[in-house]
Amino acid sequence: MDVQEVRKLDAYLKKLFGNARLRVAPKGKDTAEVLTGDDVLGEMTVDNEDGDLSYNFRMEIDIGQNIDATPVQLASYLKHKFGNENVRVVGRPRKTDSLEVYIGEDFLGVLFIENERGRKYYIFELPILDLDLEGV
């Protein structure tokens, strides 16, 4: 990612979560890390398929073996990590393999539930369109 992309993503995430401690640090040609302080939250990737530029933030949440986290517990975790008390996690109407994440009433992304060899974890994915970064 180039310097301008990183700056725009950095400003966008700070504004979205209302947290000046969030930052985006370049990692590779098409990737960057998202951090708060020295804590790595996840990875940002760029997708320029078919000329439509977009980004995807991916955060893995490991809660241990065979443990089911409630939406309230997951929301608490995300509130702490992103420094925003308005984060909400809610079930999806016809899906049991994922949850939705909001800040207030604004939809952010999806929290997928993964089970792999006795290990249960969650993956938060936040898509960011190039349009979202305009005016940042």
Side-chain angles (χ1 to χ4, degrees):
M1 287 188 203
D2 69 32
V3 174
Q4 271 192 315
E5 284 178 304
V6 170
R7 284 185 182 149
K8 284 182 179 182
L9 289 164
D10 188 84
Y12 176 78
L13 290 177
K14 285 177 179 170
K15 182 179 176 184
L16 180 67
F17 289 101
N19 183 349
R21 292 190 68 225
L22 283 174
R23 63 188 174 93
V24 177
K27 186 176 173 186
K29 180 180 177 244
D30 293 330
T31 61
E33 288 182 325
V34 176
L35 305 100
T36 183
D38 292 330
D39 186 19
V40 176
L41 299 178
E43 186 173 86
M44 184 78 68
T45 57
V46 64
D47 180 13
N48 199 4
E49 193 172 302
D50 301 327
D52 293 327
L53 186 62
S54 64
Y55 304 87
N56 188 58
F57 170 68
R58 184 179 191 275
M59 175 184 195
E60 191 171 305
I61 303 167
D62 191 350
I63 57 167
Q65 291 185 338
N66 297 322
I67 298 172
D68 289 323
T70 66
V72 171
Q73 289 169 320
L74 290 164
S76 178
Y77 179 87
L78 292 173
K79 285 176 185 182
H80 172 74
K81 288 295 185 179
F82 289 110
N84 186 310
E85 287 299 313
N86 295 316
V87 173
R88 297 184 308 118
V89 175
V90 298
R92 297 178 81 188
R94 290 179 287 269
K95 303 271 184 179
T96 59
D97 64 342
S98 57
L99 303 154
E100 294 180 349
V101 180
Y102 293 82
I103 288 185
E105 297 302 316
D106 295 325
F107 176 77
L108 288 184
V110 177
L111 195 57
F112 295 97
I113 303 166
E114 297 290 332
N115 287 299
E116 190 175 282
R117 290 183 236 141
R119 179 175 160 242
K120 186 170 200 167
Y121 61 98
Y122 297 82
I123 297 172
F124 173 51
E125 292 200 1
L126 168 65
I128 302 170
L129 302 177
D130 192 34
L131 296 170
D132 297 331
L133 301 179
E134 288 181 8
V136 175

